DNA sequence: CGGTATCCGTTATGATACTG
DNA sequence: CAGTATCATAACGGATACCG
């Protein structure tokens, strides 16, 4: 974002808000937060997260975890053993976020069949306009 | 999404879920849905949305509205007057979504100062690692 | 194990110009 | 007014290789 143009009538506060929306309204961020929410131990190792969030690449997991750490939503616990062990845990702020985020994810899980159906009928009506699956 | 590669061990259901997450967990989608939620008339014209969602370009507004329409979250009412008038309104599904989505947006509005602060202290500790605003 | 660095194709998106 | 079309660019994100 980096304050692209500052739309008139809105200060940097609004722009900052947007940059957080960008971060929080992110697929991987959501999946990681709800995954950490659900684990009984409250903490998960890097490799465990990798397995728990299917489809994520090592690079995206690292990147997203750093962003979440930077935003104060989780903490990284590094144990310099051999082999090294790293555990991630939601902060108080992160635990507070898991409720609204979890609700949204649950909403999608519950309603995606309706969305799928809507997409089907929309594509049938307007074949050439937005046919991308 | 277009079913990119189907990560092993997960059916199309999971993949479909992801594609909806991608769509719903989107900055512009969220801002549009919560904007439509808040308008008293329940409906908004294209130009009104353009004004209500500061910073969005005409192209992104059109694109996002089409996606939301395709997903069955809003309906497009076209009045072939001169000049033409188009109004957008949340469907029942869209109105159902506005609650979890609104909560998330409200959470960010309420907590972004804490996030801002967290970012500041993180960047002070690790200057070279993730300096992007 | 838990990363980091790099390459590189795909997608997202802003700017601009044009139209019914 | 409410788009559509086109272009250029930035950002995303996967694959791969290497490291402490």
């Amino acid at each position: 974002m980096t304050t692209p143009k500052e739309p008139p009538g809105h200060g940097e506060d609004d722009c900052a808000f947007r940059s957080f929306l960008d971060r929080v309204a992110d697929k991987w961020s959501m999946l990681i937060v709800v995954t950490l929410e659900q684990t009984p131990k409250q903490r998960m190792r890097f490799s465990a997260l990798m397995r728990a969030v299917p489809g994520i690449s090592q690079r995206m997991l690292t990147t997203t975890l750093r962003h979440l750490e930077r935003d104060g939503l989780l903490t990284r616990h590094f144990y310099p053993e051999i082999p090294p062990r790293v555990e991630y845990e939601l902060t108080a702020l992160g635990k507070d976020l898991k409720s609204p985020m979890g609700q949204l994810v649950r909403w999608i899980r519950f309603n995606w069949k309706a969305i799928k159906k809507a997409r089907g009928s929309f594509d049938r009506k307007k074949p050439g306009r937005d046919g991308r699956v």
Side-chain angles (χ1 to χ4, degrees), chain A residues 50-120:
Chain A
M50 194 86 179
R51 268 175 269 117
V53 183
I56 196 170
S57 64
Q58 198 178 34
R59 185 161 130 13
M60 285 317 294
L61 181 55
T62 302
T63 304
T64 310
L65 285 171
R66 285 293 170 285
H67 285 156
L68 292 173
E69 187 192 358
R70 189 168 96 101
D71 287 355
L73 299 173
L74 55 78
T75 46
R76 179 177 182 271
H77 303 278
F78 174 67
Y79 302 94
E81 310 163 357
I82 306 273
R85 179 164 53 99
V86 178
E87 293 180 346
Y88 292 91
E89 182 182 18
L90 291 180
T91 61
L93 193 62
K95 283 173 185 166
D96 192 56
L97 172 62
K98 78 184 169 54
S99 168
M101 202 171 257
Q103 272 191 266
L104 187 56
V105 172
R106 250 172 276 121
W107 188 93
I108 302 171
R109 286 200 192 282
F110 188 75
N111 291 282
W112 68 263
K113 295 200 182 193
I115 297 180
K116 195 174 177 176
K117 193 180 156 199
R119 284 190 184 177

Side-chain angles (χ1 to χ4, degrees), chain A residues 1 3 5 15-16 18 28 35-36 43 57 65 69 74 77 102 122 127:
Chain A
M1 201 112 262
T3 313
K5 195 176 261 185
C15 181
R18 298 296 178 81
W28 297 129
T35 299
L36 280 173
R43 291 182 171 208
S57 64
L65 285 171
E69 187 192 358
L74 55 78
H77 303 278
F122 183 91

